[in-house]
Amino acid sequence: MKDNLDGVATFVQVVEAGSFALAAERMNLTRSAVGKAISRLEARLGARLLHRSTRSQSLTAEGQSYYEGCVRALAELDNAEAALDHSGIEPSGRLRVSVPEAFGHLCVAPVLLDLARQYPQLQIDLSFTDRVTDLLEEGIDLAVRIGELRDSTTLAARHLGTQHVVIGASPAYLARHGTPASLDDLADHVGIAYSCGGNVAPWWGALGALGAAGGDERDGAVKPVPIRSQISMDDIQAIAAAAIDGYGLAWLPCWLLTRFAQSGALVPVLDSYRVRSQEIYAVWPKERHLRAKTRVAIDALKARIPAMIGE
């Protein structure tokens, strides 16, 4: 029986990527292999599907009609595979995951490594970056993101937990400069700032204290914290290391500060004050049926992340 699907997925990738080069990158093929697959497909169909030049490509009328039919056919195949996924078949295949660097190393990687041990047919490709990746453009199956999510018609998300941010300092720094008693006292201190793309993130704190005797939550509003920064970095772990060495106060997620507080390398400062928290999400491309490999990873993260971040 003739395999009428030969080259179909490659053709769809070429159309949706907009170029042979990007389609080849997404499919882990050479550009030459992609070009030959399209040529074979056109020869088998006896029709030209793409107008190609050195700078651009576009669908022919026949190509447009064939593309629409291929998308429907592949969607049906996806549905059939998804149905098998839900029937108890073990998760398998390559799962590409993008995670923030520090949070990924300390919290996400242990979960996914355990998942790989549990499912030997599951191949996990883990990328550590604080850059916001384009899941569709880069062929990412799943990402973990911290902070506010933009509305999207192409992405789905699941809340994994809330990252609370706290201020910490080394005992040596506090011995030299004193311990601040309020957010306003931070004006007399030096902070180690987080920067991204040259933009330094401001510190934010609540107007009122929580948990302190006579503490007043007020209306829950937050305001910028007045603190000067001599050093800024784009890596949370490097910021923690600088704080341990006494370069200043650090604004750190609680899951990271706790590790150093247990050894006495850092001390929580103003822990009775609220500092702006951030939500943590698993994000993935929307599809009618979530594949087993993605579903088990999301479920595992949801089950274990809250305890890791102190919820």
Side-chain angles (χ1 to χ4, degrees):
M1 179 181 294
K2 186 184 296 183
D3 183 4
N4 288 334
L5 290 176
D6 183 31
V8 168
T10 302
F11 170 63
V12 170
Q13 281 282 2
V14 167
V15 175
E16 295 181 348
S19 74
F20 279 48
L22 183 54
E25 181 181 340
R26 289 181 178 179
M27 300 181 74
N28 291 318
L29 298 173
T30 64
R31 189 185 185 284
S32 174
V34 170
K36 289 177 180 178
I38 297 300
S39 295
R40 287 195 301 268
L41 179 61
E42 289 179 324
R44 177 167 64 82
L45 296 173
R48 189 171 184 81
L49 301 175
L50 292 162
H51 294 301
R52 301 190 282 278
S53 70
T54 55
R55 294 187 177 181
S56 65
Q57 70 178 39
S58 61
L59 285 167
T60 64
E62 294 86 353
Q64 180 65 45
S65 176
Y66 187 66
Y67 167 71
E68 292 171 0
C70 289
V71 169
R72 289 193 295 270
L74 291 176
E76 289 301 317
L77 285 174
D78 284 343
N79 291 342
E81 290 184 9
L84 290 176
D85 275 348
H86 285 282
S87 67
I89 290 180
E90 181 174 301
S92 63
R94 186 183 185 207
L95 180 69
R96 297 192 65 200
V97 186
S98 176
V99 296
E101 288 196 24
F103 187 76
H105 281 292
L106 297 177
C107 297
V108 179
V111 177
L112 296 186
L113 289 174
D114 285 348
L115 209 61
R117 183 180 291 113
Q118 184 178 355
Y119 300 108
Q121 300 305 312
L122 184 61
Q123 303 165 9
I124 294 177
D125 181 351
L126 193 54
S127 174
F128 300 89
T129 177
D130 287 335
R131 175 178 61 86
V132 178
T133 54
D134 186 322
L135 275 64
L136 298 175
E137 184 75 15
E138 300 179 42
I140 303 297
D141 299 302
L142 178 66
V144 173
R145 291 183 177 168
I146 301 175
E148 185 177 354
L149 288 184
R150 295 178 181 177
D151 291 336
S152 174
T153 59
T154 59
L155 299 178
R158 185 175 181 185
H159 186 253
L160 299 179
T162 301
Q163 169 179 280
H164 297 287
V165 181
V166 290
I167 299 172
S170 70
Y173 174 88
L174 296 177
R176 290 196 307 271
H177 301 281
T179 301
S182 70
L183 294 176
D184 291 335
D185 288 348
L186 295 179
D188 298 324
H189 288 265
V190 175
I192 307 164
Y194 178 82
S195 61
C196 183
N199 298 315
V200 177
W203 289 21
W204 296 84
L207 294 174
L210 289 176
D216 177 18
E217 183 177 351
R218 302 188 189 178
D219 60 1
V222 295
K223 65 176 182 179
V225 173
I227 189 166
R228 56 191 174 88
S229 299
Q230 181 185 11
I231 300 172
S232 62
M233 303 180 184
D234 65 358
D235 183 271
I236 289 294
Q237 289 178 296
I239 291 174
I244 291 171
D245 287 340
Y247 284 97
L249 302 176
W251 197 42
L252 298 170
C254 60
W255 51 264
L256 184 57
L257 179 62
T258 298
R259 292 171 178 265
F260 297 112
Q262 289 172 346
S263 67
L266 290 176
V267 177
V269 175
L270 297 175
D271 55 352
S272 63
Y273 280 76
R274 289 186 301 123
V275 180
R276 175 169 285 182
S277 59
Q278 298 168 307
E279 305 307 319
I280 304 171
Y281 298 93
V283 181
W284 64 94
K286 282 183 179 177
E287 48 189 344
R288 288 184 60 186
H289 298 285
L290 192 59
R291 292 181 179 275
K293 63 180 183 180
T294 309
R295 188 181 68 252
V296 296
I298 296 168
D299 289 345
L301 291 170
K302 179 62 178 177
R304 292 182 56 185
I305 290 298
M308 290 182 169
I309 61 178
E311 286 197 336

